Amino acid sequence: MAQHELQLLGWGPQGLGLGYPTGAAILISILLVIFAVWKVSGMTFQIRDIVTFRGEALFWSAILVSNTLGTSMGDFLSDSSGLGYLGGALLVSGALAVLVALMKVPVVPNVLLFWIAFVLTRPLGATAGDFLTKPVAKGGLNLGTAGSSAVLLAALFGLMVYAHMQEKKNAVTLSEQEQSLTRQAR
């Protein structure tokens, strides 16, 4: 697909041919305005507590802009940054790992971490998906849709097994602690 055809795709700044840096600046600005309006309105940032039309409108506006920003970031990382598909996926994975570490820092609001992570999941999916499906000549693994789906299914299954094992381990540890406290109370 030619560059001019790519620019016609999408509704956002990139679709207008403004380029990735300008498009990202515009989308980040719009997202910050949405969050500022959201904060000033007094509406909660707790997703489970959003029950009004205004709250829903702010939430879905933030989702729309975040998705557009994340998709644009993925395109930039894969196509224009020089990192390629794997490099882009690794960069975003590293950024997400930093966010996980920041969850332990009390001064960093979890709401902020959530929205940054939400934006970053889009370029991670795009760059990792492209790495798995694109031809080797373009820097991919050429697994195709079925192959990449099998890899992702195996990864998902592996993560589910790991989570289950961790849950069982934590339940056993908790049970042992309860038994110890019961013996001490006698």
Side-chain angles (χ1 to χ4, degrees):
M1 190 175 278
Q3 182 64 24
H4 72 281
E5 291 171 332
L6 283 174
Q7 289 179 342
L8 295 176
L9 298 175
W11 66 270
Q14 189 58 32
L16 299 174
L18 298 176
Y20 292 114
T22 303
I26 291 170
L27 291 168
I28 289 169
S29 298
I30 292 170
L31 192 56
L32 290 174
V33 167
I34 291 169
F35 287 137
V37 168
W38 197 338
K39 178 98 172 139
V40 170
S41 75
M43 306 298 293
T44 181
F45 282 101
Q46 296 295 326
I47 295 168
R48 68 178 178 274
D49 296 332
I50 297 172
V51 294
T52 65
F53 176 78
R54 182 190 296 167
E56 289 280 339
L58 290 166
F59 173 77
W60 288 109
S61 296
I63 293 286
L64 176 66
V65 174
S66 296
N67 282 341
T68 305
L69 175 61
T71 301
S72 179
M73 286 173 56
D75 292 343
F76 170 73
L77 291 173
S78 293
D79 302 330
S80 302
S81 71
L83 293 174
Y85 305 122
L86 180 59
L90 292 174
L91 177 68
V92 176
S93 295
L96 286 168
V98 168
L99 293 179
V100 168
L102 286 173
M103 289 173 59
K104 305 294 184 196
V105 179
V107 296
V108 181
N110 282 336
V111 170
L112 176 65
L113 296 175
F114 167 81
W115 284 104
I116 294 171
F118 186 86
V119 169
L120 290 176
T121 58
R122 299 291 281 186
L124 177 61
T127 55
D130 286 344
F131 176 66
L132 293 172
T133 59
K134 296 295 182 184
V136 174
K138 291 187 175 187
L141 294 179
N142 200 30
L143 298 178
T145 303
S148 63
S149 294
V151 167
L152 294 174
L153 183 61
L156 178 62
F157 183 73
L159 289 170
M160 288 172 54
V161 168
Y162 174 76
H164 179 69
M165 301 293 279
Q166 289 297 108
E167 193 173 295
K168 275 179 92 172
K169 180 178 147 186
N170 291 339
V172 168
T173 303
L174 184 59
S175 175
E176 290 171 353
Q177 290 173 350
E178 288 172 349
Q179 289 173 2
S180 176
L181 289 173
T182 303
R183 283 192 296 267
Q184 289 174 358
R186 291 183 195 170

